[in-house]
Amino acid sequence: MPIHSQVLKKINIDQLKGLRNVEIGFDGNNLTAIMGLNGVGKSTVLHALACVYRPPMNIPGLINYQFQIFFTPTSHSIWAGSNFSITHSYSDGPTAHPNVQTHFRKAVDRWVPKKERRPERAVTFIGMRSAVPEIEKETKKTRIAFNAARVPIAHEVEIRRYAGVIMNRQYQALHTSNAYGKNYITLQHNNVEYSSLFMGAGEQRIIYILSEILKAPNSSLVLIEEIDVLMHQDALVKLLEIIDRIARRKNLQVVFTTHAHSILDLPFINYRHLLQTNTNTLCFNETKPDALHRLTGRHLRPLEIFIEDDLAEAIANKVAAGLKMSRFIETTKFGAATNCFTAVAATYLRRTDNKDKMLFVLDGDEYRTDEEKITRIGKALTGTTDENDQQRAEALVKITQFDIPPNRKPEHYYHGLICALDDRNLSDEELEWVSAAREIEHVEDGHLYFNEIIERMGVSRENGLTRLVDILRKCPEWAQIVQPVHDWLDGKRPELEEH
């Protein structure tokens, strides 16, 4: 029975070209953006992913990508010692196979496992060749005469409609024209027909990307190199929105590289930022590029607090405001709790000079004990020298957490505190918010209590979090919850304020 429902969970790279000791996850959205400076290894990630699967036997015509295509042996390197693994899931008929690990390596002259033993999945790789204008690839220098016959293109109607949205054009036709045995994509706009030889380079690539994604079988992996090349911002955003729509419909995973920081606010994309150090590669799941710059020492404000999400950010900002220190702090979200340890490791691996002005704050529901923190730090900060031991000891001191009871989700706990407030101590506006909170008895996901309150009140999330944290501050437990952050900030006051 054919394999189906394939999902790539993550890739763990021990060594692959310039990449070292890095884990990149793909859980969450259908689209994942790989970002980072030039030379950090973004393309290497795509090249590796292109080679980890073999085409399903029941789908003819698919390309079987080989490691030697992307990792061609040369006199400079034969890529011996390359070693990485993927974690993936799939179903074989009614039987599900979750979290399967497949390892890939090149000891000397051969990559293993052999292509016949790789897991099955359709893969489409869209490289930089698709960004080269057709006119620059054309070798014929004499008159090109197109045949009258028009060859239909698969998914022509959808491609034309989507491309029209992206380019703001009402395309009337899309087909293939033939000249001297060669096929050319041909469009019609405003009753004018023109081939790919006269298309704009961005227009040509948009047509190609849409065609490849629409042709990809369900549950495929689609890899796109430098998706933003040749596109202005508006067109890129529209293209990504359409790709996401197609990907969700066809259960595709789309992984692309990009330098376009303008897309960072799109909520349907997983963002993975790669950063090279002297010893290994770091992957940040949510940290924005400006925060990466700050991790190198180029900081905007003297104190930096790294936290998990926007609720934690609102709480930290409220603590700073209470101490009249808001102008001194910069907050940065690192996402999942595990990313905290990657972030703190970066400050030591990059030898950041402002470590003493950084604090890394966990929500309090995970990695509560020093033992748990030490274990996670050890995975991010490796090495056996005395200096490495000193770095790990210092890193532990840099990490703290909001003080909440064990085995409680932060939002669930905060929701209970708000509901228990004495109405006599609340203003009419505050009482309205507390009443909305009391109407919520149970939420399936413990992280969504505040979101439910905010939706009932009909305000923006930023505004709602500010109001809820203001109310939470009235709870007797507030001082204990925020004490670690409060004490750290208060301790920095003498360094920042003139007397």
Side-chain angles (χ1 to χ4, degrees), residues 369-440:
T369 67
D370 283 353
E371 289 75 14
E372 292 173 310
K373 294 184 181 73
I374 290 169
T375 299
R376 292 301 308 188
I377 291 170
K379 293 182 179 180
L381 272 171
T382 57
T384 58
T385 67
D386 291 342
E387 182 186 12
N388 299 141
D389 291 339
Q390 181 65 27
Q391 287 175 337
R392 286 187 284 270
E394 291 179 9
L396 178 63
V397 178
K398 303 304 300 176
I399 302 172
T400 189
Q401 63 208 23
F402 293 119
D403 190 355
I404 67 173
N407 304 317
R408 296 293 300 274
K409 294 293 183 185
E411 286 200 25
H412 189 193
Y413 175 59
Y414 300 152
H415 170 263
L417 297 181
I418 289 173
C419 291
L421 281 169
D422 189 335
D423 293 357
R424 294 171 295 181
N425 298 328
L426 302 173
S427 67
D428 290 342
E429 181 183 5
E430 291 169 339
L431 184 56
E432 184 180 11
W433 280 82
V434 172
S435 297
R438 290 168 179 163
E439 293 173 0
I440 302 168

Side-chain angles (χ1 to χ4, degrees), residues 428-494:
D428 290 342
E429 181 183 5
E430 291 169 339
L431 184 56
E432 184 180 11
W433 280 82
V434 172
S435 297
R438 290 168 179 163
E439 293 173 0
I440 302 168
E441 294 186 9
H442 175 71
V443 175
E444 184 176 1
D445 187 334
H447 295 94
L448 296 178
Y449 276 90
F450 276 24
N451 194 58
E452 287 285 330
I453 300 170
I454 292 167
E455 286 187 1
R456 288 173 186 245
M457 296 301 295
V459 300
S460 68
R461 181 166 175 82
E462 182 179 4
N463 189 359
L465 287 177
T466 299
R467 295 191 181 195
L468 286 168
V469 171
D470 279 336
I471 296 170
L472 182 62
R473 192 182 180 192
K474 292 196 167 189
C475 299
E477 295 82 1
W478 169 262
Q480 179 178 339
I481 292 169
V482 302
Q483 184 174 351
V485 177
H486 177 280
D487 290 353
W488 183 81
L489 283 173
D490 197 40
K492 296 296 180 184
R493 189 195 299 273

Side-chain angles (χ1 to χ4, degrees), residues 146-402:
F146 292 102
N147 298 333
R150 297 181 173 186
V151 180
I153 291 178
H155 307 284
E156 175 261 335
V157 174
E158 281 188 287
I159 296 172
R160 183 159 48 86
R161 183 174 77 249
Y162 290 143
V165 170
I166 296 167
M167 296 293 294
N168 191 27
R169 292 183 177 180
Q170 187 66 47
Y171 292 114
Q172 296 153 323
L174 170 64
H175 57 270
T176 298
S177 299
N178 185 274
Y180 67 96
K182 184 177 178 180
N183 291 325
Y184 298 85
I185 297 294
T186 304
L187 281 168
Q188 186 178 11
H189 174 241
N190 283 343
N191 296 315
V192 175
E193 192 168 277
Y194 56 99
S195 75
S196 51
L197 290 171
F198 299 99
M199 286 181 192
E203 182 179 39
Q204 173 186 310
R205 196 168 196 229
I206 287 168
I207 297 292
Y208 182 78
I209 290 173
L210 290 173
S211 176
E212 291 298 300
I213 287 178
L214 287 166
K215 287 192 303 185
N218 291 349
S219 296
S220 291
L221 175 63
V222 179
L223 309 168
I224 308 174
E225 198 164 14
E226 302 292 0
I227 196 170
D228 55 298
V229 167
L230 307 174
M231 289 182 220
H232 59 82
Q233 178 178 336
D234 185 57
L236 176 60
V237 170
K238 289 178 180 177
L239 174 63
L240 289 169
E241 289 173 342
I242 288 169
I243 290 175
D244 178 60
R245 193 185 316 165
I246 298 170
R248 284 186 282 112
R249 186 182 79 204
K250 300 178 62 176
N251 195 31
L252 305 178
Q253 279 185 286
V254 181
V255 182
F256 60 89
T257 61
T258 181
H259 292 279
H261 296 164
S262 59
I263 69 170
L264 285 169
D265 290 329
L266 298 180
F268 53 84
I269 298 175
N270 306 317
Y271 298 102
R272 305 292 183 257
H273 296 272
L274 300 184
L275 178 68
Q276 289 285 12
T277 73
N278 294 330
T279 57
N280 64 358
T281 309
L282 305 175
C283 178
F284 294 86
N285 284 3
E286 291 190 19
T287 307
K288 302 293 189 290
D290 60 340
L292 293 182
H293 287 305
R294 289 199 298 278
L295 284 170
T296 68
R298 297 193 295 274
H299 45 94
L300 303 177
R301 298 188 181 187
L303 300 181
E304 302 179 79
I305 300 179
F306 294 79
I307 36 73
E308 290 192 33
D309 55 25
D310 52 359
L311 172 56
E313 182 177 45
I315 293 173
N317 286 334
K318 184 59 64 177
V319 175
L323 291 167
K324 297 182 175 58
M325 295 179 67
S326 295
R327 66 190 184 279
F328 297 127
I329 74 162
E330 190 80 34
T331 56
T332 298
K333 297 188 287 291
F334 53 73
T338 54
N339 294 333
C340 173
F341 305 96
T342 304
V344 74
T347 67
Y348 289 90
L349 295 173
R350 299 283 291 190
R351 301 186 183 278
T352 306
D353 61 2
N354 61 321
K355 294 190 290 293
D356 64 321
K357 293 181 172 60
M358 292 180 171
L359 182 68
F360 298 80
V361 184
L362 294 164
D363 278 355
D365 57 334
E366 294 185 80
Y367 308 111
R368 292 176 55 88
T369 67
D370 283 353
E371 289 75 14
E372 292 173 310
K373 294 184 181 73
I374 290 169
T375 299
R376 292 301 308 188
I377 291 170
K379 293 182 179 180
L381 272 171
T382 57
T384 58
T385 67
D386 291 342
E387 182 186 12
N388 299 141
D389 291 339
Q390 181 65 27
Q391 287 175 337
R392 286 187 284 270
E394 291 179 9
L396 178 63
V397 178
K398 303 304 300 176
I399 302 172
T400 189
Q401 63 208 23
F402 293 119

